[in-house]
Amino acid sequence: MQAFDTLESDTSKLVVLYLQRVGDDTPDHIAERLRLPLLTVLTTVRYLDEKGIVRRLEGSDRVVLADEGRARGRLLDAA
């Protein structure tokens, strides 16, 4: 993921790496698992969303990597 290389914040990198590993999750669960303040995770997710690195799953508060979400959608369409 080329966008990962442009991230300067360690928190942003942690959230991206976490989402690469688990697929999708809620900000509150991400905060709990990474032992970060929820406000920090919410701010980070908003920043990553603005950069097009993550996106919220439709009808949910779960977030997913933008590339992963598109790839999953293609897999579901092919099935």
Side-chain angles (χ1 to χ4, degrees):
M1 171 182 262
Q2 291 177 347
F4 183 82
D5 297 332
T6 65
L7 297 175
E8 295 179 15
S9 161
D10 289 339
T11 304
S12 294
K13 290 178 181 179
L14 275 174
V15 170
V16 169
L17 288 172
Y18 176 80
L19 289 172
Q20 281 180 332
R21 181 145 175 92
V22 302
D24 63 85
D25 211 341
T26 61
D28 59 333
H29 194 247
I30 294 169
E32 179 184 321
R33 298 292 294 169
L34 297 178
R35 296 185 179 154
L36 295 170
L38 178 57
L39 186 57
T40 299
V41 172
L42 289 170
T43 302
T44 301
V45 166
R46 185 176 61 228
Y47 168 78
L48 293 170
D49 185 32
E50 289 170 0
K51 294 291 183 184
I53 296 171
V54 302
R55 66 178 180 82
R56 291 198 180 267
L57 293 176
E58 207 170 309
S60 172
D61 62 343
R62 299 180 79 80
V63 292
V64 65
L65 293 176
D67 294 335
E68 289 290 318
R70 279 188 232 119
R72 283 185 185 176
R74 284 192 298 269
L75 288 175
L76 290 175
D77 291 341

